[in-house]
Amino acid sequence: MAPPPSFRWARRVFLTLLTGFVLLPVYVMLSSSLKPLADVSGRFRWVPSGLTIRPYIDMWSTVPLARYFVNSLIVAGSATVLSVVVAVFAAYAVSRYDFRGKRVFTVTVLSTQMFPGILFLLPLFLLYVNIGNATGIALFGSRGGLILTYLTFSLPFSIWMLTGYFDSVPRDLDEAALVDGCGPLGALFRIVVPAAIPGIVAVAVYAFMTAWGEVLFASVMTNDTTRTLAVGLQGYSTLNDVYWNQIMAASLVVSVPVVAGFLLLQRYLVAGLTAGAVK
Protein backbone atom coordinates (compact mmCIF):
# COMPACT_ATOMS: atom_id res chain seq x y z
CA MET A 1 0.00 0.00 0.00
CA ALA A 2 1.52 3.32 -1.10
CA PRO A 3 1.82 6.04 1.58
CA PRO A 4 -0.36 9.14 1.19
CA PRO A 5 1.10 12.25 -0.54
CA SER A 6 1.20 14.18 2.74
CA PHE A 7 3.47 11.54 4.27
CA ARG A 8 5.80 11.57 1.25
CA TRP A 9 6.13 15.37 1.37
CA ALA A 10 6.70 15.33 5.12
CA ARG A 11 9.37 12.68 4.64
CA ARG A 12 11.11 14.73 1.95
CA VAL A 13 11.09 17.85 4.10
CA PHE A 14 12.40 15.96 7.12
CA LEU A 15 15.19 14.24 5.16
CA THR A 16 16.16 17.55 3.52
CA LEU A 17 16.42 19.27 6.90
CA LEU A 18 18.35 16.33 8.33
CA THR A 19 20.78 16.37 5.40
CA GLY A 20 21.34 20.08 5.80
CA PHE A 21 21.90 19.66 9.53
CA VAL A 22 24.53 16.97 8.89
CA LEU A 23 26.31 18.71 6.00
CA LEU A 24 26.37 22.20 7.54
CA PRO A 25 29.35 21.52 9.87
CA VAL A 26 31.20 19.87 6.98
CA TYR A 27 30.70 22.99 4.84
CA VAL A 28 31.92 25.23 7.67
CA MET A 29 35.04 23.07 8.07
CA LEU A 30 35.72 22.98 4.34
CA SER A 31 35.21 26.72 3.79
CA SER A 32 37.27 27.62 6.86
CA SER A 33 40.11 25.37 5.73
CA LEU A 34 40.34 27.32 2.46
CA LYS A 35 40.45 30.79 4.04
CA PRO A 36 43.42 32.83 5.26
CA LEU A 37 43.76 32.95 9.03
CA ALA A 38 42.61 36.58 9.20
CA ASP A 39 39.30 35.70 7.54
CA VAL A 40 38.69 32.73 9.82
CA SER A 41 39.47 34.72 12.97
CA GLY A 42 37.07 37.49 12.00
CA ARG A 43 33.35 37.42 11.39
CA PHE A 44 32.23 34.23 9.69
CA ARG A 45 31.13 34.55 6.09
CA TRP A 46 29.10 31.88 4.39
CA VAL A 47 30.64 32.79 1.02
CA PRO A 48 34.45 33.16 1.33
CA SER A 49 35.89 36.32 -0.16
CA GLY A 50 39.11 34.52 -1.13
CA LEU A 51 40.25 30.92 -1.29
CA THR A 52 43.70 29.49 -0.65
CA ILE A 53 45.18 26.04 -0.21
CA ARG A 54 47.96 27.38 1.99
CA PRO A 55 46.49 25.88 5.20
CA TYR A 56 46.75 22.41 3.68
CA ILE A 57 50.47 23.03 3.11
CA ASP A 58 51.31 24.77 6.37
CA MET A 59 49.51 22.25 8.58
CA TRP A 60 52.32 19.70 8.04
CA SER A 61 55.01 22.07 9.36
CA THR A 62 53.11 23.83 12.17
CA VAL A 63 52.92 20.52 14.05
CA PRO A 64 54.53 17.14 13.20
CA LEU A 65 51.26 15.95 11.68
CA ALA A 66 52.90 13.20 9.61
CA ARG A 67 54.36 11.59 12.74
CA TYR A 68 51.01 11.78 14.51
CA PHE A 69 49.37 10.26 11.44
CA VAL A 70 51.81 7.31 11.44
CA ASN A 71 51.32 6.79 15.18
CA SER A 72 47.55 6.72 14.77
CA LEU A 73 47.76 4.26 11.89
CA ILE A 74 50.05 1.92 13.84
CA VAL A 75 48.00 2.09 17.04
CA ALA A 76 44.57 1.85 15.40
CA GLY A 77 45.68 -0.81 12.90
CA SER A 78 47.35 -2.98 15.55
CA ALA A 79 44.41 -2.65 17.94
CA THR A 80 42.05 -3.63 15.13
CA VAL A 81 44.02 -6.72 14.08
CA LEU A 82 44.45 -7.92 17.66
CA SER A 83 40.79 -7.29 18.47
CA VAL A 84 39.64 -9.30 15.47
CA VAL A 85 42.04 -12.21 16.09
CA VAL A 86 41.31 -12.52 19.81
CA ALA A 87 37.57 -11.98 19.35
CA VAL A 88 37.34 -14.67 16.64
CA PHE A 89 38.89 -17.34 18.87
CA ALA A 90 37.00 -16.26 21.99
CA ALA A 91 33.65 -15.97 20.22
CA TYR A 92 34.11 -19.35 18.51
CA ALA A 93 34.82 -21.01 21.87
CA VAL A 94 31.77 -19.41 23.48
CA SER A 95 29.53 -20.19 20.51
CA ARG A 96 30.55 -23.79 19.86
CA TYR A 97 31.69 -25.25 23.21
CA ASP A 98 30.15 -25.72 26.64
CA PHE A 99 32.60 -25.21 29.48
CA ARG A 100 32.48 -24.42 33.16
CA GLY A 101 32.08 -20.73 33.80
CA LYS A 102 30.78 -19.97 30.29
CA ARG A 103 27.84 -17.93 31.53
CA VAL A 104 30.02 -16.07 34.04
CA PHE A 105 32.51 -15.27 31.28
CA THR A 106 29.89 -13.87 28.91
CA VAL A 107 28.21 -11.82 31.65
CA THR A 108 31.59 -10.47 32.78
CA VAL A 109 32.54 -9.50 29.24
CA LEU A 110 29.27 -7.67 28.73
CA SER A 111 29.33 -6.01 32.17
CA THR A 112 32.57 -4.21 31.38
CA GLN A 113 30.62 -2.09 28.89
CA MET A 114 28.59 -0.58 31.73
CA PHE A 115 31.52 1.32 33.24
CA PRO A 116 32.75 4.65 31.83
CA GLY A 117 36.24 4.53 30.43
CA ILE A 118 37.58 7.21 32.76
CA LEU A 119 37.31 4.75 35.68
CA PHE A 120 40.09 2.67 34.11
CA LEU A 121 42.44 5.60 33.53
CA LEU A 122 44.14 5.71 36.93
CA PRO A 123 44.35 1.89 37.40
CA LEU A 124 45.91 1.43 33.97
CA PHE A 125 48.30 4.32 34.57
CA LEU A 126 49.51 2.83 37.87
CA LEU A 127 49.65 -0.65 36.34
CA TYR A 128 51.80 0.46 33.40
CA VAL A 129 54.15 2.48 35.61
CA ASN A 130 54.64 -0.41 38.07
CA ILE A 131 55.21 -2.90 35.25
CA GLY A 132 57.78 -0.57 33.74
CA ASN A 133 59.59 -0.16 37.07
CA ALA A 134 59.56 -3.90 37.80
CA THR A 135 60.38 -5.36 34.38
CA GLY A 136 61.76 -2.48 32.32
CA ILE A 137 59.00 -2.92 29.74
CA ALA A 138 57.94 0.61 28.81
CA LEU A 139 54.17 0.46 28.50
CA PHE A 140 53.48 3.98 29.71
CA GLY A 141 54.24 6.49 26.98
CA SER A 142 54.56 3.81 24.31
CA ARG A 143 52.40 2.77 21.40
CA GLY A 144 52.26 -0.79 22.75
CA GLY A 145 50.71 0.37 26.00
CA LEU A 146 48.13 2.42 24.11
CA ILE A 147 47.26 -0.59 21.93
CA LEU A 148 46.67 -2.73 25.03
CA THR A 149 44.51 0.04 26.47
CA TYR A 150 42.29 0.16 23.40
CA LEU A 151 41.92 -3.62 23.48
CA THR A 152 40.24 -3.35 26.88
CA PHE A 153 37.46 -1.30 25.25
CA SER A 154 37.07 -2.98 21.87
CA LEU A 155 37.36 -6.65 22.88
CA PRO A 156 34.19 -6.99 25.03
CA PHE A 157 31.93 -5.62 22.30
CA SER A 158 33.80 -7.55 19.61
CA ILE A 159 33.47 -10.87 21.45
CA TRP A 160 29.80 -10.29 22.17
CA MET A 161 28.91 -9.39 18.61
CA LEU A 162 30.93 -12.17 16.99
CA THR A 163 29.42 -14.71 19.38
CA GLY A 164 25.97 -13.74 18.15
CA TYR A 165 27.12 -13.92 14.55
CA PHE A 166 28.79 -17.32 14.98
CA ASP A 167 25.59 -18.60 16.58
CA SER A 168 23.78 -17.75 13.33
CA VAL A 169 26.15 -20.01 11.35
CA PRO A 170 24.64 -23.54 11.32
CA ARG A 171 26.61 -26.08 13.32
CA ASP A 172 25.93 -28.63 10.61
CA LEU A 173 28.63 -26.90 8.58
CA ASP A 174 31.16 -27.51 11.36
CA GLU A 175 30.14 -31.14 11.62
CA ALA A 176 30.44 -31.61 7.87
CA ALA A 177 33.94 -30.11 7.96
CA LEU A 178 34.92 -32.44 10.80
CA VAL A 179 33.63 -35.43 8.86
CA ASP A 180 35.72 -34.35 5.87
CA GLY A 181 38.85 -34.42 8.02
CA CYS A 182 39.14 -30.86 9.28
CA GLY A 183 40.04 -30.23 12.89
CA PRO A 184 38.41 -27.54 15.04
CA LEU A 185 40.77 -24.88 13.70
CA GLY A 186 40.23 -26.05 10.14
CA ALA A 187 36.46 -25.79 10.58
CA LEU A 188 36.88 -22.33 12.05
CA PHE A 189 39.05 -20.90 9.29
CA ARG A 190 37.57 -22.78 6.33
CA ILE A 191 33.87 -22.70 7.22
CA VAL A 192 32.91 -20.32 10.02
CA VAL A 193 35.19 -17.37 9.28
CA PRO A 194 34.26 -17.11 5.55
CA ALA A 195 30.58 -17.28 6.49
CA ALA A 196 31.06 -14.60 9.17
CA ILE A 197 32.94 -12.04 7.07
CA PRO A 198 30.27 -9.29 7.56
CA GLY A 199 30.45 -9.67 11.33
CA ILE A 200 34.25 -9.64 11.33
CA VAL A 201 34.28 -6.51 9.17
CA ALA A 202 31.85 -4.82 11.56
CA VAL A 203 34.11 -5.67 14.50
CA ALA A 204 37.17 -4.38 12.63
CA VAL A 205 35.49 -1.08 11.75
CA TYR A 206 34.31 -0.60 15.33
CA ALA A 207 37.76 -1.32 16.78
CA PHE A 208 39.48 0.99 14.28
CA MET A 209 37.10 3.90 14.84
CA THR A 210 37.35 3.50 18.61
CA ALA A 211 41.14 3.70 18.52
CA TRP A 212 41.37 6.36 15.79
CA GLY A 213 39.37 9.07 17.53
CA GLU A 214 40.06 8.38 21.23
CA VAL A 215 41.39 11.39 23.15
CA LEU A 216 41.35 10.77 26.92
CA PHE A 217 43.76 7.83 27.18
CA ALA A 218 45.88 9.05 24.26
CA SER A 219 46.48 12.35 26.05
CA VAL A 220 47.70 10.58 29.22
CA MET A 221 49.39 7.45 27.90
CA THR A 222 51.53 9.07 25.19
CA ASN A 223 54.41 11.52 24.95
CA ASP A 224 55.72 13.83 22.24
CA THR A 225 57.06 10.88 20.24
CA THR A 226 54.07 8.55 20.45
CA ARG A 227 51.29 11.17 20.35
CA THR A 228 48.35 10.34 18.08
CA LEU A 229 46.27 12.56 15.82
CA ALA A 230 43.38 13.02 18.24
CA VAL A 231 45.77 14.67 20.71
CA GLY A 232 48.20 16.16 18.20
CA LEU A 233 45.55 18.47 16.73
CA GLN A 234 45.76 20.49 19.95
CA GLY A 235 49.18 21.66 18.78
CA TYR A 236 47.55 24.16 16.41
CA SER A 237 46.43 26.13 19.46
CA THR A 238 49.32 28.16 20.89
CA LEU A 239 49.64 30.87 23.52
CA ASN A 240 49.70 33.56 20.84
CA ASP A 241 47.17 32.35 18.31
CA VAL A 242 44.88 29.54 17.21
CA TYR A 243 45.36 28.38 13.62
CA TRP A 244 41.71 27.67 12.94
CA ASN A 245 42.14 27.23 9.20
CA GLN A 246 44.89 24.65 9.69
CA ILE A 247 42.86 22.84 12.36
CA MET A 248 39.96 22.54 9.95
CA ALA A 249 42.25 21.39 7.13
CA ALA A 250 43.94 18.79 9.32
CA SER A 251 40.59 17.57 10.65
CA LEU A 252 39.35 16.96 7.13
CA VAL A 253 42.55 15.17 6.12
CA VAL A 254 42.62 12.85 9.14
CA SER A 255 38.94 11.99 8.58
CA VAL A 256 39.63 10.61 5.11
CA PRO A 257 40.79 7.09 6.19
CA VAL A 258 37.77 6.54 8.44
CA VAL A 259 35.24 7.92 5.95
CA ALA A 260 36.75 6.02 3.02
CA GLY A 261 36.86 2.77 4.97
CA PHE A 262 33.29 3.20 6.17
CA LEU A 263 32.01 3.84 2.65
CA LEU A 264 33.88 0.86 1.24
CA LEU A 265 32.76 -1.53 3.98
CA GLN A 266 29.30 -0.12 4.62
CA ARG A 267 27.51 -3.12 3.13
CA TYR A 268 29.39 -5.57 5.33
CA LEU A 269 29.08 -3.32 8.38
CA VAL A 270 25.30 -3.09 8.19
CA ALA A 271 24.92 -6.83 7.61
CA GLY A 272 27.26 -7.67 10.47
CA LEU A 273 25.63 -5.35 12.98
CA THR A 274 22.16 -6.54 12.03
CA ALA A 275 22.97 -10.24 12.34
CA GLY A 276 24.87 -9.81 15.58
CA ALA A 277 22.14 -7.68 17.14
CA VAL A 278 19.32 -10.01 16.16
CA LYS A 279 21.05 -13.06 17.57
Side-chain angles (χ1 to χ4, degrees):
M1 182 177 179
S6 59
F7 175 79
R8 292 199 300 266
W9 278 106
R11 181 176 58 186
R12 292 170 184 171
V13 171
F14 175 76
L15 292 178
T16 301
L17 293 176
L18 181 61
T19 303
F21 178 78
V22 173
L23 294 180
L24 183 61
V26 179
Y27 172 76
V28 173
M29 291 178 61
L30 181 60
S31 61
S32 299
S33 67
L34 295 173
K35 295 178 181 178
L37 182 59
D39 292 349
V40 180
S41 302
R43 183 178 179 181
F44 179 77
R45 294 181 179 179
W46 292 101
V47 180
S49 57
L51 299 178
T52 177
I53 62 171
R54 193 68 195 176
Y56 287 90
I57 300 175
D58 295 339
M59 68 179 185
W60 300 100
S61 56
T62 302
V63 300
L65 189 64
R67 185 173 67 201
Y68 299 156
F69 199 92
V70 172
N71 289 337
S72 291
L73 283 178
I74 294 175
V75 171
S78 301
T80 300
V81 172
L82 290 176
S83 293
V84 170
V85 172
V86 176
V88 164
F89 285 104
Y92 183 72
V94 174
S95 175
R96 292 298 194 264
Y97 298 101
D98 292 325
F99 53 89
R100 182 177 300 177
K102 175 179 177 179
R103 183 173 179 82
V104 175
F105 173 77
T106 55
V107 171
T108 302
V109 167
L110 261 183
S111 64
T112 58
Q113 299 296 96
M114 298 187 302
F115 301 99
I118 194 172
L119 292 180
F120 300 98
L121 181 59
L122 182 58
L124 285 175
F125 172 79
L126 296 176
L127 184 63
Y128 287 174
V129 171
N130 290 330
I131 290 177
N133 294 334
T135 64
I137 301 175
L139 292 177
F140 176 74
S142 67
R143 291 184 293 220
L146 194 60
I147 292 170
L148 291 177
T149 301
Y150 291 154
L151 285 178
T152 62
F153 299 106
S154 60
L155 268 181
F157 176 80
S158 302
I159 294 174
W160 172 75
M161 192 173 70
L162 277 184
T163 299
Y165 205 96
F166 286 171
D167 287 341
S168 66
V169 179
R171 297 197 177 192
D172 295 341
L173 297 177
D174 299 43
E175 296 174 359
L178 294 176
V179 170
D180 289 340
C182 291
L185 291 179
L188 170 62
F189 289 110
R190 294 185 180 183
I191 304 298
V192 180
V193 169
I197 288 298
I200 295 175
V201 170
V203 166
V205 172
Y206 169 79
F208 186 86
M209 293 180 66
T210 300
W212 186 263
E214 202 279 326
V215 177
L216 177 62
F217 286 87
S219 62
V220 177
M221 299 293 187
T222 59
N223 51 35
D224 293 337
T225 304
T226 59
R227 190 164 295 161
T228 58
L229 282 171
V231 182
L233 292 178
Q234 300 177 3
Y236 292 105
S237 177
T238 64
L239 295 176
N240 300 323
D241 208 344
V242 179
Y243 300 97
W244 289 110
N245 53 349
Q246 296 185 36
I247 292 178
M248 299 302 175
S251 300
L252 289 172
V253 170
V254 302
S255 301
V256 170
V258 177
V259 174
F262 181 83
L263 293 177
L264 291 174
L265 303 174
Q266 181 181 9
R267 176 166 57 93
Y268 297 101
L269 179 63
V270 174
L273 289 175
T274 302
V278 170
K279 199 64 180 178

